[in-house]
């Protein structure tokens, strides 16, 4: 938490957000000046409006009331001011600083928490990139120093994005008074539903659309069988024995159980309770919203808050894989979803994607050499290289 110093307040920005802040502010009398880069007005509710300059901004504690926060933050830091020490975004006024650190699951979590009235009354989420999108390979030190609530996945010290984004480093960087909650990281732990999946490490091919290979489609295509109808028929057969499917499922449940020993928010009991009636994973790395929203529910309960929030309008289904019929039968899955990848960002058609369309697009992206008679590529697919 930060303390507004014994300085008069200043607003930076006199547009709609400035009006909104002024309307709701409990200490209007402390606002002595306003700054605005455009400065078309000289007065805002009787308060003088100035162009920001290095010599005048340092006299005030500044509330940024502009939607595009980062450019103003950078401008003030160029003037020698420090975030949270000398200025804040208007959303943080009279609220504590919460920071979520993790992967793409945050797309859902951020939406849910920002729709929780109880959470918003106490905290504002600091804008922090998802770990794989963090080009700085670090979280801003100003945010860590003033963090009141850290919600973090258990990111390992030797993760691919650097030690400064590990759970170990971040925990050491927040104040001793900061409340820390470790939440589930299920990345790669959905393999119990997808025995056909294998991580695709070939960076030369356009496989970002299918980051996980389907070993059975690869083998069938490598044999020269690229008829989508025929491949679909093959995939609907009992490719895997029931005993193997159950054993594979239990292996991944054990992995989740072991990993969650490090989590404050547990989830394996929910998965075991719901997996037959509801789809739990889109692919091996991305849980469905029913899981991600349950994590938010449990997080709010852990924080002793009302668990009311709005369902997310987003879903991380752009890399969704089909669950084979033999897997559905062996695991006694009751749900029946014919189409996958409702998120259109990683499919070539704008309509519904059924199993046949999935196979067609998979071959388009992954088996070009096979389609064109490239024997070398066919050999690579068969060998799994």
């Amino acid at each position: 938490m930060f303390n507004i110093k014994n300085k008069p307040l200043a607003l930076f920005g006199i547009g709609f957000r400035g009006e909104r802040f002024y309307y709701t502010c409990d200490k209007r009398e402390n606002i002595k000046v306003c700054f605005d880069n455009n400065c078309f007005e000289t007065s805002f509710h009787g308060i003088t409006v100035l162009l920001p300059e290095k010599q005048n901004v340092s006299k005030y504690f500044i509330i940024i009331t502009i939607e595009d926060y980062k450019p103003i933050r950078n401008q003030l830091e160029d003037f020698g001011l420090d975030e949270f020490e000398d200025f804040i975004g208007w959303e943080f006024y009279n609220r504590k600083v919460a920071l979520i650190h993790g992967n793409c699951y945050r797309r859902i979590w951020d939406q849910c928490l920002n729709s929780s009235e109880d959470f918003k009354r106490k905290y504002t989420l600091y804008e922090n990139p998802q770990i794989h999108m963090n080009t700085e390979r670090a979280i801003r030190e100003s945010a860590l120093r003033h963090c009141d609530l850290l919600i973090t996945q258990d990111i390992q010290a030797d993760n691919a994005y650097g030690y400064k984004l590990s759970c170990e480093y971040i925990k050491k960087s927040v104040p001793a008074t900061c409340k820390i909650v470790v939440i589930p990281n299920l990345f790669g732990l959905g393999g119990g539903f997808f025995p056909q999946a294998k991580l695709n490490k070939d960076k030369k091919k356009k496989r970002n659309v299918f980051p996980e290979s389907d070993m059975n489609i690869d083998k069938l295509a490598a044999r020269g069988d690229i008829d989508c109808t025929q491949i679909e028929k093959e995939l609907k057969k009992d490719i895997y024995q029931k005993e193997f499917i159950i054993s594979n499922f239990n292996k991944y449940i054990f992995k989740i159980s072991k990993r969650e020993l490090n989590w404050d928010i547990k989830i394996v009991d929910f998965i075991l309770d719901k997996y037959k009636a509801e789809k739990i994973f889109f692919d091996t790395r991305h849980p469905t919203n029913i899981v991600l929203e349950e994590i938010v529910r449990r997080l709010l309960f852990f924080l002793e808050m009302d668990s009311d929030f709005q369902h997310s309008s987003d879903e991380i289904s752009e890399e969704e894989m089909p669950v084979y019929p033999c897997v559905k039968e062996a695991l006694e899955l009751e749900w029946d979803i014919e189409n996958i990848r409702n998120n259109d960002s990683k499919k070539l058609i704008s309509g519904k994607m059924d199993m046949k369309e999935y196979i067609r697009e998979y071959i388009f992206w992954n088996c070009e050499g096979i389609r064109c008679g490239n024997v070398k590529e066919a050999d690579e697919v068969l060998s799994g290289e």
Side-chain angles (χ1 to χ4, degrees), residues 211-257:
E212 293 179 295
S213 294
D214 184 306
M215 294 185 286
N216 297 302
I217 299 178
D218 283 349
K219 289 177 182 178
L220 289 166
R223 290 202 313 237
D225 186 354
I226 58 171
D227 180 88
C228 295
T229 301
Q230 185 58 39
I231 291 177
E232 182 182 21
K233 287 180 181 178
E234 293 294 323
L235 298 186
K236 287 183 176 180
K237 294 179 180 179
D238 292 337
I239 293 181
Y240 300 105
Q241 295 297 313
K242 181 177 180 178
E243 294 75 14
F244 169 77
I245 294 169
I246 293 173
S247 173
N248 184 59
F249 176 80
N250 289 334
K251 178 181 75 173
Y252 279 95
I253 290 297
F254 177 76
K255 285 184 178 183
I256 297 171
S257 301

Side-chain angles (χ1 to χ4, degrees), residues 73-168:
R73 179 189 69 192
N74 296 341
Q75 180 181 359
L76 293 177
E77 288 179 338
D78 287 343
F79 287 155
L81 304 187
D82 294 318
E83 187 178 33
F84 293 115
E85 295 290 337
D86 301 305
F87 65 87
I88 56 172
W90 70 278
E91 302 96 331
F92 290 97
Y93 183 76
N94 283 345
R95 292 189 183 93
K96 293 185 176 182
V97 179
L99 182 68
I100 301 186
H101 178 52
N103 58 25
C104 53
Y105 302 179
R106 284 191 39 212
R107 281 168 42 185
I108 312 303
W109 290 338
D110 289 9
Q111 279 191 23
C112 293
L113 288 174
N114 281 325
S115 72
S116 164
E117 293 300 326
D118 208 9
F119 185 85
K120 287 193 299 181
R121 267 192 291 271
K122 190 170 184 179
Y123 296 104
T124 292
L125 287 177
Y126 187 81
E127 189 176 338
N128 175 51
Q130 298 166 28
I131 185 170
H132 57 292
M133 300 174 71
N134 192 323
T135 56
E136 300 297 322
R137 296 292 187 259
I139 297 173
R140 286 179 61 87
E141 292 296 326
S142 58
L144 292 173
R145 286 197 309 270
H146 295 88
C147 186
D148 299 294
L149 171 63
L150 173 63
I151 304 166
T152 180
Q153 292 177 307
D154 60 331
I155 310 298
Q156 302 302 306
D158 60 349
N159 72 85
Y161 304 101
Y163 179 64
K164 285 192 172 184
L165 290 177
S166 69
C167 193
E168 179 180 286

